[in-house]
Amino acid sequence: PWLLGITAVVSIAHIFLEMLAFGSDIAHYRKKKDNVGISVRSILANDFMQAVIFLYLVDNSQNTSWMILGGQGVGIVIELWKVTTIVNVRVRPGEPGSWLPYKISFEDKYKLSETEEKTKEYDEIAFKYMYMAGVPLLVAYAAYSLYYESHKSWYSYVIATLVGSVYAYGFLMMVPSLYINYRLKSVAHMPAKAMMYKFLNTFIDDLFAFTIKMPFL
């Protein structure tokens, strides 16, 4: 009875906080009129990481609650939508000599202000150094996972390695936003409510690990 009661309370709290976070995030980006302080690359990278986690959960669906899968899927859709509010996503012909006939291009919606140009510049600098730190860590973890861990297939190995890197080195994704905030000397552009709800949900997720079915990683 105690486990059943805790499971019910934790499930309701998780859904409630997750919906509040999603709602606040959407409201923040709908009202935002400029790109000051926003790391477009971080949003795209976050979408990729959430997609990797979703594929990992699907690959281990026998150990995953549908509640977790649903929340992860909604999060991916919202992150993709956020990209379209910041830049225009276009399909353009590929470069001459490229093996891809078309490419996805991210174009500014309007002429950027000086502060927005600085944001874009700081974003590029932060990601350059993040790649220098992140790629060796990913290669090292991939080698470790291949040598010491067992996997169902090569697909499972790739997904598990990527998701392990996301969980282990995901903190690196904070670097671009931290660097942009530091250079702009402002955090006024950040979605404070959404961040607070996600922060609280982190503790709920820790309880989730003991009450809801989810894979080991």
Side-chain angles (χ1 to χ4, degrees):
W2 282 104
L3 180 60
L4 180 62
I6 292 172
T7 301
V9 171
V10 168
S11 300
I12 292 169
H14 175 84
I15 293 173
F16 180 67
L17 287 171
E18 194 166 52
M19 290 303 107
L20 285 175
F22 287 154
S24 296
D25 222 8
I26 291 170
H28 175 81
Y29 277 87
R30 287 184 68 181
K31 290 187 294 185
K32 197 159 179 62
K33 303 299 182 185
D34 56 53
N35 294 345
V36 174
I38 295 178
S39 171
V40 178
R41 289 176 176 80
S42 290
I43 294 176
L44 290 169
N46 191 47
D47 223 333
F48 171 75
M49 291 193 300
Q50 289 202 41
V52 166
I53 294 172
F54 182 79
L55 291 174
Y56 173 73
L57 294 174
V58 170
D59 192 46
N60 294 270
S61 57
Q62 71 277 9
N63 296 318
T64 306
S65 165
W66 283 99
M67 190 187 308
I68 301 297
L69 277 172
Q72 194 68 31
V74 172
I76 292 171
V77 172
I78 291 175
E79 290 295 319
L80 286 171
W81 170 79
K82 281 161 63 173
V83 173
T84 64
T85 67
I86 300 168
V87 293
N88 290 321
V89 182
R90 299 282 186 263
V91 177
R92 302 296 188 193
E95 300 291 338
S98 172
W99 57 278
L100 288 175
Y102 296 97
K103 66 175 183 178
I104 297 176
S105 176
F106 301 97
E107 303 169 359
D108 297 323
K109 286 180 175 288
Y110 50 83
K111 183 175 175 57
L112 301 182
S113 65
E114 183 181 347
T115 309
E116 288 173 314
E117 288 285 3
K118 286 183 179 179
T119 297
K120 198 172 179 180
E121 178 189 344
Y122 299 151
D123 194 21
E124 290 177 6
I125 294 171
F127 258 82
K128 182 179 73 173
Y129 288 107
M130 197 186 73
Y131 284 139
M132 291 168 64
V135 172
L137 288 172
L138 174 60
V139 172
Y141 182 75
Y144 171 87
S145 180
L146 182 64
Y147 189 79
Y148 288 105
E149 298 174 350
S150 58
H151 303 276
K152 293 183 294 184
S153 63
W154 282 106
Y155 171 79
S156 293
Y157 161 70
V158 171
I159 293 298
T161 300
L162 287 174
V163 83
S165 299
V166 167
Y167 287 139
Y169 313 130
F171 66 90
L172 288 173
M173 290 311 305
M174 294 188 292
V175 172
S177 293
L178 287 171
Y179 182 70
I180 290 170
N181 294 337
Y182 169 72
R183 294 302 300 267
L184 293 180
K185 300 291 188 288
S186 172
V187 294
H189 49 268
M190 300 182 74
K193 283 186 178 180
M195 292 176 67
M196 182 185 70
Y197 293 137
K198 289 176 182 178
F199 170 75
L200 293 173
N201 215 16
T202 300
F203 297 100
I204 297 298
D205 285 347
D206 289 340
L207 275 176
F208 243 20
F210 297 99
T211 59
I212 302 294
K213 286 177 66 180
M214 59 176 64
F216 175 73
L217 279 175

